[in-house]
Amino acid sequence: MKGIIGRKLGMTQVFDDETGDVQPVTVIQAGPCPVVQVRTLERDGYEAAQLAFDEVAEWKLAKGEVGHLKRGGFGPHRELVEFRGETELGEGDTVTVEAFEPGEAVKVSGVSIGKGFQGTIKRHNFSSGPKSHGSRNVRAPGSIGASAWPARVFKGQSMPGRMGGTRITQRGLRIVDVDVENNLLLVSGGVPGSKNAVVVVREEGS
């Protein structure tokens, strides 16, 4: 199990020293993340390490969360994330970007950018209707069910609705570079979330 919590700063590009190709990358300010609690199979029924990120004022957290952190001797942190799996970490350890190496395969989880209420063309990539004279079905979704049978609309139809603002995981990414001094990870391609959104970086396969 290898993972870290960070904040998406934005995107930039780097050049490959060997080929000269341009590589778009996302810059993530990750860690340092203290290990608040370690779950064990005997006590909790599963193995995991709980990491904290982003120190905040105590009044911004619920009393239960503040107490949970104080029991381990930690200050208030905005984010708490569990990374399941076998781990060699112990309570009080700190996870930094040094845990990752360039070229390593990772996956990044975050909350996608919310788009609000959208129609089927934007939300589900539907094609538009005919735009010729007399057409009254340019952006309408079309038929969603028959009349006599089933005389209802089946669940799961692709229809207009709220788009984005959901937690998703982007797989198939890799670490391009690691800046230990500034706690930065450069990840190939784009990752979920808006600028300054909190994201979770895990090694692929975990």
Side-chain angles (χ1 to χ4, degrees):
M1 186 284 304
K2 185 189 297 185
I4 195 169
I5 314 168
R7 191 177 297 280
K8 176 182 175 180
L9 298 184
M11 293 194 69
T12 184
Q13 60 187 20
V14 296
F15 292 89
D16 193 307
D17 294 332
E18 298 180 359
T19 63
D21 293 338
V22 177
Q23 172 70 58
V25 296
T26 300
V27 183
I28 300 175
Q29 187 169 26
C33 298
V35 180
V36 175
Q37 189 176 26
V38 176
R39 305 283 191 180
T40 61
L41 197 62
E42 297 78 14
R43 184 186 62 198
D44 304 293
Y46 65 98
E47 293 181 295
Q50 190 179 87
L51 272 58
F53 175 70
D54 192 12
E55 292 188 37
V56 293
E58 186 174 315
W59 64 268
K60 293 187 176 182
L61 300 181
K63 289 184 179 180
E65 193 170 3
V66 172
H68 171 68
L69 290 165
K70 281 186 175 180
R71 274 196 299 272
F74 302 96
H77 288 72
R78 189 186 303 275
E79 303 293 333
L80 284 177
V81 177
E82 279 193 359
F83 295 86
R84 292 203 176 198
E86 295 182 7
T87 178
E88 298 178 354
L89 297 171
E91 293 184 12
D93 293 345
T94 301
V95 178
T96 65
V97 293
E98 292 182 274
F100 295 89
E101 299 178 356
E104 192 170 357
V106 294
K107 57 184 180 181
V108 180
S109 301
V111 178
S112 62
I113 298 175
K115 305 292 184 181
F117 189 95
Q118 297 296 335
T120 54
I121 291 180
K122 183 178 179 73
R123 191 180 187 214
H124 299 294
N125 200 29
F126 278 24
S127 298
S128 61
K131 299 181 178 65
S132 57
H133 178 70
S135 174
R136 303 176 65 182
N137 186 26
V138 179
R139 297 184 69 91
S143 175
I144 58 174
S147 175
W149 186 90
R152 63 188 177 89
V153 177
F154 285 120
K155 289 183 179 180
Q157 292 283 348
S158 298
M159 298 177 69
R162 180 176 176 271
M163 181 181 178
T166 57
R167 187 167 186 82
I168 60 175
T169 299
Q170 182 66 47
R171 299 177 180 272
L173 306 176
R174 65 180 180 86
I175 302 295
V176 176
D177 197 7
V178 179
D179 187 346
V180 178
E181 293 184 3
N182 298 308
N183 299 317
L184 297 179
L185 287 176
L186 269 61
V187 181
S188 63
V191 304
S194 58
K195 192 176 291 185
N196 293 321
V198 174
V199 295
V200 178
V201 183
R202 291 182 173 88
E203 62 179 341
E204 191 70 78
S206 63

